[in-house]
Amino acid sequence: MDLYSKVLLRSGQFGGEVRFRVDQIQLPKAESKEECKWGSYAKGALYALQRGGNNLKQGITGFICGTKGLDSSGLSSSAAMGVAYLMALESANNLSISPAENIEYDRLIENEYLSLKNDILDQSAILLSSYECLTCMDCKVS
């Protein structure tokens, strides 16, 4: 097994390690029968990138830590988790993915991979906002 194709994650809030390879095909949680663990968003990011036709070769090593007392992975937004893992995997694999594509990939993580009924507001705010700028989103359906 190629050492560089591994994903290795540790958490400041949760015990254990998350380990998987980027060449492992990820199935939605409902199909995989795997117990939901704190590393599911990382596997979901791989699922979304694979679903988008991206062939990843390079894994990542990371440590995630957020505010104590929050469930999930310690961040207040699950979208922040998904976007962070997407961007880390994309950077490691020299992928150039637009914010609009990453919004869709994060939706795939939450709606398809994890079977959650989340919308795209959080990831849109994360990916489309700029420092010291007001972000205006028109959410009307045309």
Side-chain angles (χ1 to χ4, degrees), residues 73-120:
S73 295
L75 297 179
S76 61
S77 171
S78 58
M81 290 299 310
V83 168
Y85 288 130
L86 285 167
M87 294 180 82
L89 287 166
E90 292 163 6
S91 177
N93 287 278
N94 295 315
L95 298 175
S96 181
I97 307 291
S98 73
E101 288 174 291
N102 272 328
I103 290 167
E104 173 59 15
Y105 286 157
D106 198 73
R107 188 196 66 74
L108 291 173
I109 294 170
E110 301 210 56
N111 296 160
E112 285 189 18
Y113 186 75
L114 296 170
S115 298
L116 301 174
K117 304 256 187 256
N118 300 21
D119 236 333
I120 62 167

Side-chain angles (χ1 to χ4, degrees), residues 15-99:
E17 296 179 337
V18 172
R19 292 177 181 256
F20 59 95
R21 295 175 17 174
V22 295
D23 59 353
Q24 289 177 302
I25 301 299
Q26 297 298 312
L27 298 173
K29 300 302 281 176
E31 293 177 30
S32 71
K33 307 294 185 217
E34 182 182 325
E35 196 177 302
C36 189
K37 297 184 176 150
W38 67 265
S40 294
Y41 278 86
K43 289 182 178 182
L46 177 58
Y47 167 82
L49 289 166
Q50 288 173 340
R51 181 109 157 40
N54 299 285
N55 185 17
L56 281 68
K57 303 266 186 228
Q58 183 72 39
I60 57 174
T61 299
F63 179 81
I64 187 130
C65 188
T67 304
K68 298 288 184 189
L70 294 176
D71 50 2
S72 187
S73 295
L75 297 179
S76 61
S77 171
S78 58
M81 290 299 310
V83 168
Y85 288 130
L86 285 167
M87 294 180 82
L89 287 166
E90 292 163 6
S91 177
N93 287 278
N94 295 315
L95 298 175
S96 181
I97 307 291
S98 73

